[in-house]
Amino acid sequence: MLATIFAFDGVLADTLRLRAHALVDAAAAEQARLDTEVVLALLPGRTLLEASLALFPELSATDPTLPELIALRAHRGFRALVQHGVPLDQRALLRLQEAATRGDRIVVRADSERRDVESLLALAGLENSVSLLRCSDDAPRGPGASLRRSWDAIHARLSNMGVSVTERTALETNSETAEIAALFVHVPNVW
């Protein structure tokens, strides 16, 4: 059995600009300035909290209260922006439908939180196409990057299902996220 793993944010769903907008607005509400292009470059593979901490490294090291507050505000803003759906990438959607028709296990890896991703998949009518959904806030949580934790969990689940690394393909957002995916799949693709 084959498995195709799709990054939700930036591949399947056009959420990167919305996530960046939510972070920039949240920072502005706290009298902090962020450049949208810098935020966009940093977001793939990161939660809003991880991105906020990376965008304010000095504060993160000494007093992470402001970056954490910005991330909380950004979560609320993002949730409001996506409550009625987001555009899906038609090429990625076609690829997902082709993989499902072949009988592949469809896995979705998201940097966004489960609450948002599940509702967006349901709005798009894709909830029944997905065999496994791994979101950034899923357990187990712990130290280290959420991207790596997500891939570790996906790898464990697929291995338990008997899907070996050589039977996996991934569509990732950028070269950084594809580099992590390459540890767990035979073919990582940058979308």
Side-chain angles (χ1 to χ4, degrees):
M1 166 131 338
L2 301 175
T4 306
I5 301 108
F6 292 84
F8 180 79
D9 298 288
V11 172
L12 194 55
D14 188 13
T15 58
L16 288 180
R17 286 216 170 266
L18 297 174
R19 294 177 80 227
H21 177 75
L23 266 172
V24 169
D25 278 2
E30 297 298 330
Q31 284 72 48
R33 295 181 54 79
L34 290 174
D35 178 83
T36 302
E37 296 307 314
V38 171
V39 175
L40 274 170
L42 187 78
L43 267 174
R46 290 180 176 83
T47 65
L48 291 174
L49 176 58
E50 289 169 333
S52 185
L53 290 168
L55 290 162
F56 298 98
E58 303 84 24
L59 287 173
S60 298
T62 58
D63 181 13
T65 304
L66 180 65
E68 289 173 0
L69 196 61
I70 289 170
L72 285 172
R73 225 182 249 278
H75 278 292
R76 282 196 310 269
F78 178 72
R79 190 158 288 136
L81 289 170
V82 302
Q83 68 182 339
H84 299 295
V86 297
L88 297 180
D89 184 292
Q90 294 305 304
R91 294 177 307 133
L93 187 56
L94 179 61
R95 191 96 177 250
L96 185 144
Q97 291 165 342
E98 289 169 350
T101 301
R102 279 193 312 268
D104 291 9
R105 291 204 185 270
I106 305 299
V107 179
V108 174
R109 183 202 62 74
D111 301 323
S112 295
E113 293 184 349
R114 180 170 286 274
R115 175 178 164 184
D116 300 319
V117 176
E118 282 182 333
S119 65
L120 291 171
L121 288 172
L123 283 170
L126 295 175
E127 71 275 18
N128 294 326
S129 299
V130 177
S131 305
L132 171 62
L133 173 61
R134 174 64 192 193
C135 298
S136 63
D137 60 332
D138 289 347
R141 292 187 222 161
S146 65
L147 177 63
R148 180 58 191 252
R149 283 194 316 272
S150 289
W151 273 107
D152 285 337
I154 290 167
H155 173 68
R157 287 285 301 276
L158 289 175
S159 294
N160 287 339
M161 293 175 182
V163 181
S164 71
V165 170
T166 59
E167 299 172 307
R168 303 175 194 168
T169 301
L171 285 83
E172 275 294 344
T173 314
N174 64 16
S175 58
E176 182 182 328
T177 58
E179 186 177 312
I180 299 297
L183 302 171
F184 303 99
V185 302
H186 177 64
V187 182
N189 298 288
V190 175
W191 197 250

